Amino acid sequence: MAKREALEASYLDSIGSNPVLGYTSYDDAKKKELNKGLDLKGGINVTLQISVKDILKGLANNTKNPVFNKALADADTASKSSDDTYLELFFDAFDNIKGETKLASPDIFANKGLSDVVNFQMTDDKVKPIIRTKIDESIVSAFEVLRERIDGFGVTQPNIQREGNSGRILVELPGARDIARAQELLSSTAQLEFWETYPQSNQSLGTFFVNANEKLKDILEPVETEEEISKPESEIDSLLSDVAQDSLNLNEQANNPLLGKLIPASPGSHAIARVLVTDTAEVGGYLRMREIRRLLPNDVQFTKFLWERSAKDSELAELYALKSNRDNMPRISGDVVSDAQDTFDQYNKPAVSMTMNTRGAKEWEKLTGDAFNNQTGIAIVLDNKVYTAPGVSTGPISGGRSEITGTFTINETKDIANVLRAGKLPASAEIIQSEVVGPSLGQEAIDSGFMSFLIAMCFVLVWMIFYYGKAGIFADIALILNILLIFGVLTSLGAVLTLPGIAGIVLTIGMSVDANVLIFERIKEELARGKGKAQAVADGFGNALSSILDANITTGLTAIILFVFGSGPIKGFATTLLIGIVTSLFTAIFITRLLVDWYIAKKGRSLDFSTGITKNLFKNMNINFLGKRKIAYVVSFILVGVGVFSLFTTGLQEGVDFIGGRSYQIRFEKAVNPSEIASELNTVFG
């Protein structure tokens, strides 16, 4: 335990006061400062595209139907130049080439997986709505998986939202800076697999590599062109002399295109060889060639070759040969993992501990038993990378517990455990846009937001003193305390302050003062009736309470709905508004009453709730509102009619967050005229 604490302490020292991705402690403890949203302090903005193609292939059980796969290929091509969704493009492509083939064919969607909703007698028009529903369910599932992953990411109040039916998901991570880490966490499908490895001494694989090396010599043998044959001898000699020092190595690799790149695996490893990291792409390409795969002996013909997940600064990568089958299915898949935690291994290095369910525990015991008897390893594979491949030295392992070890950092083990707990994505998620919102933009937003806040507050403070005199000073004190309470509650709850949140605070200022205005006006009415100061104050606060509560409760209910159903900026606005309603009620009713009672308690003090200028202001104003009601009806009817007519003819101008699209922020080196820029843009874009 002491060693763990020491490692945590060293980690905290390493990240300092500006931690990566918003962590301020090892376990993401409560923040000491007010958290700011993406629009205030910057962070990472990522747009993900869930692969509808992968979902379709999964719904069709990865069918080999040529019409289905041709429709997918046509949809791929059409999607590059069309704004329609991929699903609609697929349906259009399928209709164009289907002939007698139906979507409800046994080898497409009328399979066992969809047998409860799709049958052979259905027409395409009946199948399409079902597939749309299934696609939407899969995207919602991906959305929830991503939400769970982000919740464990270490940033406060991230924003994640779908962009209509496009299959795109927008993710905002306030305070995050490491795009590579965010991309890996969000786009990883979390496909966890457990495979048994082949040993280095396997003779069939040894024969395969020798035969593959000879075959590659024939495939890669260079053919001299007439131009090369006619080159002057002196030029060839000159070229050879420039590389004379490396000629032996080049000849060796040319004579052995595969074996020349393989290095014996490290002692005790269950890999079959090592390769320079710079050569992994080339060697992997060789091993995937059909001509080379055909050379695999019958007893190892379904071998699956995978690379290890090597450290960033590693020069070598280990190559593993995994015992696969005709269906390319692993012995155990990640769906048996019931829990995953970041921990430390026996050498006090970061690791990931996993617990399996009952079915997984039985399979794990069988797999470890086979590995023990065959003296092989068990490769733990995540997204087609071998993270570790330990051997089994003590016989079958019961209980279903396993551990992923390797060259990890603490953040990496946290992310891996987080991904495994959240589950795998139902389809691949491609990052189509990612950017870091810089601190300069955040600072500009902070400056403009707080400037509007300060202007509004100063105006209200001055007006209250101008209109109510000494009583206005008491209202101002309560208002300042109200603002301090709002920021204090935001900090203690770890809530995020966004630009819409600042708007909520500005609205709270008006609501807080509105409560004091109701109270003061009611007190003035009680004084006009001849009541004493103390009695007028008591009746004023008491009689105004119902109106104040009614206004704040209705606003509070609206804020609760926005908080529950909103996301991102909307939730930020609702959060500050809810907090502001509670604090403004407390300060307007309790603090102001406390100050007023304290002031009038001493004899000789005068509190008139007005000034010499405002004492009789609006007092003799007499407007017959009821008498002018017919005029108001006509004006209201005209305005409503114009609005409804405009709504049905012109329609609403929806923004990017409703209809999708792109949002750009452009900076000019010199000051420009906004009207001229708007005119130029209208000319180009309409």
Side-chain angles (χ1 to χ4, degrees):
M1 190 65 182
K3 292 181 178 179
R4 176 187 173 93
E5 292 174 353
L7 282 169
E8 294 174 2
S10 64
Y11 168 71
L12 292 176
D13 290 339
S14 66
I15 63 176
S17 60
N18 185 22
V20 177
L21 293 177
Y23 287 106
T24 54
S25 68
Y26 179 78
D27 291 317
D28 194 26
K30 289 183 177 179
K31 278 55 174 180
K32 299 296 183 181
E33 299 176 351
L34 180 64
N35 295 306
K36 301 182 182 70
L38 188 71
D39 49 0
L40 291 186
K41 71 173 181 180
I44 293 178
N45 185 310
V46 177
T47 301
L48 294 160
Q49 176 68 63
I50 302 299
S51 175
V52 177
K53 179 180 180 180
D54 286 355
I55 300 175
L56 285 170
K57 292 170 70 175
L59 292 173
N61 281 340
N62 294 310
T63 179
K64 304 297 183 183
N65 185 291
V67 176
F68 176 84
N69 288 293
K70 179 65 167 58
L72 289 178
D74 291 346
D76 286 338
T77 303
S79 64
K80 297 177 181 178
S81 57
S82 174
D83 292 331
D84 293 337
T85 63
Y86 186 91
L87 181 59
E88 297 306 321
L89 293 174
F90 165 76
F91 285 151
D92 292 342
F94 187 87
D95 290 339
N96 292 334
I97 64 173
K98 66 180 180 180
E100 299 297 324
T101 307
K102 299 193 328 181
L103 290 174
S105 300
D107 59 344
I108 302 183
F109 293 128
N111 52 53
K112 291 182 179 180
L114 297 176
S115 59
D116 56 334
V117 290
V118 179
N119 58 60
F120 308 135
Q121 289 77 34
M122 283 185 172
T123 63
D124 287 353
D125 291 337
K126 291 184 177 180
V127 174
K128 287 178 181 179
I130 297 173
I131 300 304
R132 289 190 184 98
T133 301
K134 291 293 181 181
I135 294 292
D136 188 67
E137 290 174 353
S138 297
I139 293 175
V140 170
S141 175
F143 181 84
E144 294 302 325
V145 169
L146 289 171
R147 184 192 295 278
E148 289 188 35
R149 291 185 186 182
I150 292 168
D151 285 343
F153 195 44
V155 295
T156 307
Q157 206 166 343
N159 174 33
I160 174 172
Q161 59 188 27
R162 290 180 59 182
E163 294 188 355
N165 297 319
S166 63
R168 291 181 178 180
I169 296 176
L170 173 67
V171 179
E172 293 180 347
L173 304 174
R177 291 291 182 270
D178 192 342
I179 279 191
R181 183 184 171 203
Q183 289 176 335
E184 185 174 354
L185 180 77
L186 296 174
S187 61
S188 170
T189 57
Q191 185 67 38
L192 180 66
E193 300 169 341
F194 299 85
W195 302 79
E196 186 180 356
T197 66
Y198 282 112
Q200 300 177 26
S201 58
N202 186 281
Q203 295 183 355
S204 296
L205 284 177
T207 302
F208 161 72
F209 279 106
V210 173
N211 293 338
N213 188 70
E214 296 302 315
K215 182 69 173 178
L216 285 169
K217 289 181 182 179
D218 297 334
I219 296 174
L220 304 176
E221 182 178 2
V223 179
E224 291 183 337
T225 63
E226 292 182 1
E227 181 182 354
E228 290 173 332
I229 294 173
S230 63
K231 281 185 178 180
E233 185 68 24
S234 60
E235 182 181 350
I236 295 176
D237 291 340
S238 176
L239 291 172
L240 289 176
S241 64
D242 292 338
V243 294
Q245 192 173 6
D246 297 325
S247 60
L248 293 177
N249 292 334
L250 293 173
N251 288 335
E252 176 64 23
Q253 291 198 6
N255 293 331
N256 297 289
L258 180 58
L259 295 180
K261 290 181 170 59
L262 299 182
I263 303 171
S266 54
S269 170
H270 290 280
I272 55 172
R274 288 181 294 172
V275 176
L276 288 172
V277 172
T278 54
D279 291 335
T280 54
E282 185 177 358
V283 173
Y286 292 158
L287 296 177
R288 288 190 296 270
M289 293 172 65
R290 291 185 178 181
E291 299 91 333
I292 302 302
R293 294 287 302 180
R294 292 194 189 102
L295 300 176
L296 283 166
N298 291 334
D299 58 333
V300 294
Q301 64 175 317
F302 301 117
T303 300
K304 184 182 181 76
F305 294 103
L306 288 181
W307 299 103
E308 73 162 332
R309 177 195 174 277
S310 55
K312 292 182 180 179
D313 55 350
S314 177
E315 296 181 356
L316 297 173
E318 292 194 319
L319 177 65
Y320 289 87
L322 311 181
K323 294 183 179 181
S324 187
N325 48 54
R326 186 181 299 275
D327 297 325
N328 196 30
M329 297 297 292
R331 292 284 297 272
I332 304 175
S333 59
D335 58 354
V336 302
V337 175
S338 58
D339 191 24
Q341 299 291 333
D342 58 297
T343 182
F344 293 87
D345 62 15
Q346 58 182 334
Y347 304 107
N348 286 318
K349 293 182 178 180
V352 177
S353 175
M354 295 179 294
T355 305
M356 300 180 183
N357 58 27
T358 304
R359 178 172 64 88
K362 292 180 180 179
E363 293 293 332
W364 179 250
E365 186 172 1
K366 184 178 180 182
L367 177 58
T368 53
D370 291 344
F372 174 75
N373 295 329
N374 299 330
Q375 293 299 298
T376 55
I378 298 175
I380 301 177
V381 179
L382 183 62
D383 289 340
N384 287 322
K385 289 288 185 181
V386 178
Y387 275 63
T388 184
V392 181
S393 58
T394 58
I397 301 174
S398 59
R401 294 190 63 86
S402 58
E403 191 175 65
I404 301 178
T405 58
T407 54
F408 301 126
T409 64
I410 292 177
N411 276 349
E412 287 173 337
T413 55
K414 275 182 166 292
D415 290 345
I416 293 170
N418 178 27
V419 165
L420 294 179
R421 283 195 304 270
K424 68 177 183 178
L425 290 172
S428 61
E430 179 187 0
I431 295 178
I432 59 177
Q433 180 185 4
S434 61
E435 60 183 354
V436 174
V437 180
S440 60
L441 175 61
Q443 190 59 49
E444 290 177 11
I446 292 173
D447 293 342
S448 60
F450 274 99
M451 182 59 66
S452 63
F453 162 74
L454 290 174
I455 291 173
M457 188 170 179
C458 291
F459 182 82
V460 170
L461 293 175
V462 172
W463 175 259
M464 290 299 289
I465 296 174
F466 167 77
Y467 198 88
Y468 292 105
K470 295 177 182 177
I473 296 176
F474 298 150
D476 288 348
I477 294 173
L479 176 59
I480 294 172
L481 179 60
N482 181 23
I483 303 302
L484 294 176
L485 285 175
I486 291 174
F487 284 107
V489 173
L490 283 171
T491 303
S492 61
L493 293 179
V496 173
L497 180 65
T498 61
L499 278 178
I502 294 177
I505 295 176
V506 174
L507 177 59
T508 300
I509 293 174
M511 293 174 58
S512 178
V513 170
D514 181 61
N516 284 127
V517 169
L518 288 173
I519 293 170
F520 292 165
E521 291 299 321
R522 192 61 190 241
I523 292 174
K524 288 165 68 175
E525 291 179 4
E526 300 297 335
L527 289 172
R529 293 176 182 176
K531 293 183 180 181
K533 291 282 186 182
Q535 187 62 41
V537 169
D539 291 346
F541 274 93
N543 294 328
L545 182 61
S546 59
S547 298
I548 296 171
L549 289 177
D550 180 66
N552 282 274
I553 288 173
T554 52
T555 306
L557 291 174
T558 305
I560 290 173
I561 294 172
L562 291 176
F563 182 83
V564 172
F565 295 100
S567 62
I570 296 175
K571 183 167 288 189
F573 173 80
T575 300
T576 53
L577 185 57
L578 280 171
I579 295 172
I581 288 172
V582 176
T583 57
S584 63
L585 281 173
F586 170 74
T587 55
I589 296 173
F590 180 75
I591 300 299
T592 306
R593 176 70 181 273
L594 192 67
L595 292 171
V596 170
D597 285 346
W598 164 79
Y599 188 82
I600 66 175
K602 291 186 179 182
K603 294 181 180 180
R605 289 183 176 177
S606 175
L607 190 62
D608 296 328
F609 297 94
S610 61
T611 63
I613 300 175
T614 61
K615 185 174 183 179
N616 296 315
L617 196 63
F618 306 119
K619 192 170 184 179
N620 298 319
M621 184 175 292
N622 185 18
I623 300 176
N624 187 6
F625 288 101
L626 292 178
K628 302 181 185 300
R629 64 186 184 279
K630 293 182 180 180
I631 298 175
Y633 292 157
V634 172
V635 173
S636 298
F637 181 79
I638 293 173
L639 291 176
V640 171
V642 171
V644 172
F645 177 78
S646 176
L647 179 64
F648 283 100
T649 55
T650 306
L652 295 174
Q653 298 296 321
E654 297 177 336
V656 174
D657 46 358
F658 282 97
I659 60 175
R662 297 291 179 184
S663 177
Y664 299 96
Q665 177 153 355
I666 302 173
R667 298 175 185 271
F668 294 92
E669 184 177 350
K670 298 180 180 179
V672 296
N673 188 324
S675 299
E676 293 180 3
I677 297 296
S679 176
E680 293 292 336
L681 291 176
N682 287 331
T683 303
V684 176
F685 296 108

